[in-house]
Amino acid sequence: MTIRLGYQIPNFTYPDTPVERLFDTVIAQAREAEASGFDTVLVMDHFYQLPGIGTPDQPMLEAYTTLGALATATETIQLSTLVTGNTYRNPPMLAKTVTTLDMVSHGRAILGIGAGWFEREHNDFGWEFGTFTDRFERLEEALDIIAPMLRGENPTLTGKWYKVENAMNNPRYRSQIPIMLGGAGEKKTFRLAARFADHMNIICDRADIPQKVAVLRQRCEEAGRDPATLATSYLAMTVVADSEDEAKKILDSIPPERHSRVFIGTQAQIAEQIHQDVIEPGITGLTINMIRNGHVPGAVAAAGEALKPLVS
């Protein structure tokens, strides 16, 4: 498994599209990505739209129902969350869910997972949020359960947060389902990635990428792991514009705090920016979202045409 070029769909608000046709637009994006050289389609695991993208009352589809439906609408592209909030689901239930997605998709599932961070969702839905330390303790225990289950083992664990006994996970399509962690935490997230992950998706400001790459390599070495065995990708908000004037207009509509993660311009300009700021510092893959215009037919294909040569 590797994610060389992923397409994330974080936005389900599409102008001039009635809600009953919303999922048709999601399918169209996934199929366009598949046909344009992307190897993975990803959705957020959230229940409300996120600040900076929209308002909480805007449409947000449940992640695994969405991925299961996309599995039947696509043929080759890998399917994942970016990333599952561990606090939202019981760990063996999550292992079962991802394994079922792997069955439905004929071996195309990836488990993307993180500690969880959106407090309002926890409060509104009645999940315990806890402290930062609590959430990472829970994530580590969860991975001690989930990782063996994805390999076909039957773990038993009595921990601080979870208890399982001989937890079985059948049927399975593959002998092992890959695990991806997402985040930027140098002490906790990167340490867990070095222990458990096949892939690390780094989410940070573009100026911080060299530092993150260096620290992730260090965490692998501390764990006795060859850093080359942990694939990486970077999450970038991307807008392909026809002209610099259009690019400036779109950039002005994006909250300033997100500008450091936005790549905007013509196809050539975006490719140059990403090569310089993401690939050259040592990231091996790329995941993009196109919040502003990904639903427009042809936009995903244009991004794929520009970016595929960078990661091929």
Side-chain angles (χ1 to χ4, degrees):
M1 185 280 300
T2 187
I3 299 174
R4 300 290 288 179
L5 186 59
Y7 178 63
Q8 184 203 41
I9 306 174
N11 178 39
F12 304 107
T13 300
Y14 308 127
D16 304 320
T17 300
V19 68
E20 62 269 19
R21 306 295 296 180
L22 182 158
F23 195 65
D24 296 342
T25 302
V26 177
I27 290 174
Q29 290 177 78
R31 286 176 171 168
E32 187 172 319
E34 184 174 54
S36 303
F38 290 83
D39 54 53
T40 311
V41 166
L42 311 97
V43 297
M44 300 194 303
D45 185 29
H46 285 292
F47 304 91
Y48 294 165
Q49 185 53 275
L50 300 185
I53 297 178
T55 57
D57 60 322
Q58 288 180 332
M60 180 54 58
L61 300 178
E62 193 280 322
Y64 283 99
T65 309
T66 301
L67 292 173
L70 289 177
T72 67
T74 58
E75 297 180 359
T76 61
I77 204 158
Q78 298 176 119
L79 301 164
S80 181
T81 58
L82 186 60
V83 286
T84 306
N86 176 63
T87 46
Y88 299 143
R89 295 173 182 81
N90 165 273
M93 178 67 178
L94 177 58
K96 187 72 172 177
T97 299
V98 175
T99 303
T100 300
L101 176 62
D102 205 51
M103 288 289 299
V104 171
S105 65
H106 297 98
R108 293 186 280 138
I110 297 169
L111 170 61
I113 191 167
W117 64 270
F118 195 4
E119 186 172 6
R120 178 171 177 176
E121 288 178 334
H122 292 76
N123 293 339
D124 287 9
F125 278 60
W127 292 306
E128 182 180 358
F129 187 62
T131 66
F132 179 82
T133 298
D134 290 341
R135 294 194 299 280
F136 274 91
E137 287 180 351
R138 290 167 70 107
L139 177 59
E140 185 164 8
E141 280 191 17
L143 286 165
D144 279 328
I145 296 166
I146 295 168
M149 291 183 70
L150 297 185
R151 297 192 297 265
E153 301 169 13
N154 303 346
T156 294
L157 182 143
T158 299
K160 178 179 177 180
W161 300 100
Y162 303 114
K163 179 179 179 180
V164 297
E165 185 173 346
N166 195 39
M168 294 185 288
N169 187 25
N170 295 306
R172 293 181 305 114
Y173 189 87
R174 289 184 287 176
S175 61
Q176 184 170 348
I177 295 173
I179 295 174
M180 171 178 66
L181 265 68
E186 298 178 4
K187 293 182 180 180
K188 296 181 182 294
T189 303
F190 286 3
R191 179 179 62 83
L192 292 177
R195 283 188 59 201
F196 292 102
D198 302 283
H199 191 100
M200 179 70 217
N201 183 266
I202 297 174
I203 303 171
C204 67
D205 293 347
R206 60 211 287 183
D208 295 333
I209 291 175
Q211 165 75 8
K212 299 300 181 182
V213 169
V215 173
L216 182 60
R217 289 171 177 165
Q218 181 182 346
R219 294 291 173 264
C220 287
E221 291 165 357
E222 291 167 354
R225 177 176 182 172
D226 180 357
T229 66
L230 180 57
T232 55
S233 57
Y234 177 75
L235 177 62
M237 179 178 174
T238 304
V239 182
V240 178
D242 292 331
S243 66
E244 292 190 16
D245 287 343
E246 182 187 0
K248 184 180 185 305
K249 182 179 179 181
I250 295 173
L251 185 63
D252 289 343
S253 73
I254 298 169
E257 64 271 16
R258 287 183 172 261
H259 286 189
S260 60
R261 302 181 187 183
V262 175
F263 297 82
I264 185 167
T266 64
Q267 288 176 297
Q269 288 171 335
I270 288 174
E272 182 180 357
Q273 293 169 34
I274 289 177
H275 181 266
Q276 176 179 314
D277 293 349
V278 179
I279 304 302
E280 284 191 352
I283 299 288
T284 58
L286 178 68
T287 293
I288 68 164
N289 59 43
M290 303 182 71
I291 295 168
R292 290 294 183 267
N293 65 348
H295 62 283
V296 177
V300 175
E305 181 181 14
L307 300 176
K308 186 178 179 182
L310 302 182
V311 294
S312 296

